Amino acid sequence: IGHKQRHKGAKRVDRESNIGKQVDRLLAKAIVELAQSFEAGSIVLPDLTHIREMVEAEVNERAQAHIPDFVAGQKQYAKAYRTQVNRWSYQILQTAISSKAEQTGIAIEVTQQGYAGSQTDKARDMALRAFEERKDDAKTSKSAQTVS
């Protein structure tokens, strides 16, 4: 929208925001389709309560790996990487995944994600943690039924 159009009351379209929403929808669709292809009963997502700490730990780990023994370079790398990562809205993506999963009958489980290790290690650990939590919930539920 041009300058004259704005003065006439035309609304400005935030293209970056719309592109981000579209990317979130496409990612959510792909994730749910992948879960369906493996006949998964649930999708495990990270608890975002401590997202800043997780991102900071990942940024520092990447900086040290890319530029070992050069602290100033690590700080520059971390700042650039942090700027990219902070533009992404994890909560909006999780909402899109949850919505799409609900439409297909796939449950969403939320659990803590580790701070260190590769993405594969973190994903494996989250899946195992969700499985253990599910087992514990089943035991608690079963013992509660026995008592009543």
Side-chain angles (χ1 to χ4, degrees):
I1 294 178
H3 179 71
K4 287 182 183 180
Q5 290 171 324
R6 271 192 239 130
H7 280 288
K8 291 180 183 178
K11 290 187 177 180
R12 182 171 180 246
V13 178
D14 189 352
R15 291 176 194 236
E16 190 173 311
S17 176
N18 289 339
I19 290 171
K21 288 177 186 175
Q22 181 63 22
V23 168
D24 287 340
R25 284 193 291 268
L26 291 171
L27 284 170
K29 180 181 178 186
I31 289 167
V32 171
E33 286 175 353
L34 182 64
Q36 286 178 308
S37 73
F38 283 97
E39 299 177 5
S42 66
I43 296 172
V44 180
L45 297 175
D47 179 357
L48 299 179
T49 306
H50 302 289
I51 189 70
R52 290 183 194 273
E53 292 86 355
M54 289 188 301
V55 168
E56 191 61 32
E58 183 178 325
V59 166
N60 291 335
E61 187 178 313
R62 284 179 179 257
Q64 289 172 0
H66 278 73
I67 310 169
D69 303 324
F70 183 53
V71 176
Q74 289 175 4
K75 286 181 181 179
Q76 278 184 318
Y77 178 87
K79 183 178 179 181
Y81 187 80
R82 203 176 296 110
T83 300
Q84 286 179 324
V85 171
N86 284 340
R87 288 184 185 158
W88 194 265
S89 173
Y90 296 104
Q91 190 64 48
I92 292 171
L93 177 59
Q94 278 197 345
T95 301
I97 293 168
S98 296
S99 174
K100 196 68 168 167
E102 184 180 317
Q103 293 171 10
T104 61
I106 296 175
I108 294 294
E109 297 180 72
V110 178
T111 189
Q112 285 297 116
Q113 176 179 325
Y115 293 102
S118 70
Q119 295 300 329
T120 303
D121 293 341
K122 290 177 188 178
R124 181 199 62 233
D125 292 346
M126 277 181 35
L128 291 173
R129 191 173 292 116
F131 175 74
E132 291 298 325
E133 288 172 5
R134 210 176 317 128
K135 256 182 19 180
D136 292 345
D137 289 346
K139 284 180 187 176
T140 304
S141 162
K142 195 173 185 178
S143 67
Q145 289 174 356
T146 309
V147 172
S148 6

